[in-house]
């Protein structure tokens, strides 16, 4: 069982992701914006982050860059999540250090497979 931080400004997405990951026997913490996510990373032992790209205040790419800049979290697996089909989002996420990428709406199987693949490594 892993502790997964899901970061998304859309409450329905947070509930859905939490439900899917709980059913896969993971503990889930949620954050509705990037600054809250960074605070939770300081407070808890997180095994993996699922991070939405398009959020107010600080977007997911900026959050990922902050995560990667901190030596404590440099190797923390991060899956980027977006509703956009824009290839630029994928390139920006990979350039910032993302380990995986999911496009909304991702199926339950896609989400669990992506998480398990990164946690098994």
């Amino acid at each position: 069982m892993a502790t997964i931080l899901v970061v998304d400004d859309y409450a329905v997405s947070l509930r859905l992701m939490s439900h899917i990951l709980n059913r896969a026997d993971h503990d889930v913490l949620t954050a509705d914006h990037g600054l809250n996510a960074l605070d939770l990373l300081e407070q808890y032992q997180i095994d993996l982050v699922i991070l939405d790209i398009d959020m107010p205040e600080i977007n997911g790419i900026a959050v990922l860059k902050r995560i990667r800049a901190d030596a404590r979290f440099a190797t923390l697996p991060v899956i980027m999540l977006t509703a956009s089909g824009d290839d630029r989002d994928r390139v920006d996420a990979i350039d910032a250090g993302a380990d995986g990428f999911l496009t909304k709406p991702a199926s339950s199987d896609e989400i669990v497979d992506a998480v398990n693949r990164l946690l098994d490594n």
Side-chain angles (χ1 to χ4, degrees), residues 25-93:
D25 292 325
H26 297 295
D27 289 329
V28 179
L29 297 171
T30 61
D32 60 357
H33 59 81
L35 296 176
N36 189 17
L38 294 170
D39 287 342
L40 290 172
L41 279 171
E42 294 290 336
Q43 296 174 41
Y44 296 94
Q45 177 64 42
I46 306 292
D47 299 303
L48 182 139
V49 177
I50 298 176
L51 180 60
D52 188 30
I53 290 178
D54 189 23
M55 294 185 294
E57 295 182 40
I58 178 173
N59 71 28
I61 300 295
V63 173
L64 178 58
K65 287 178 180 178
R66 287 190 188 186
I67 290 170
R68 292 295 181 240
D70 189 321
R72 296 171 298 163
F73 308 122
T75 61
L76 178 67
V78 178
I79 298 170
M80 300 304 289
L81 182 66
T82 186
S84 167
D86 187 357
D87 286 339
R88 187 75 228 160
D89 284 342
R90 185 179 297 270
V91 170
D92 289 345

Side-chain angles (χ1 to χ4, degrees), residues 89-103:
D89 284 342
R90 185 179 297 270
V91 170
D92 289 345
I94 291 168
D95 287 347
D99 299 292
F101 194 90
L102 291 170
T103 302

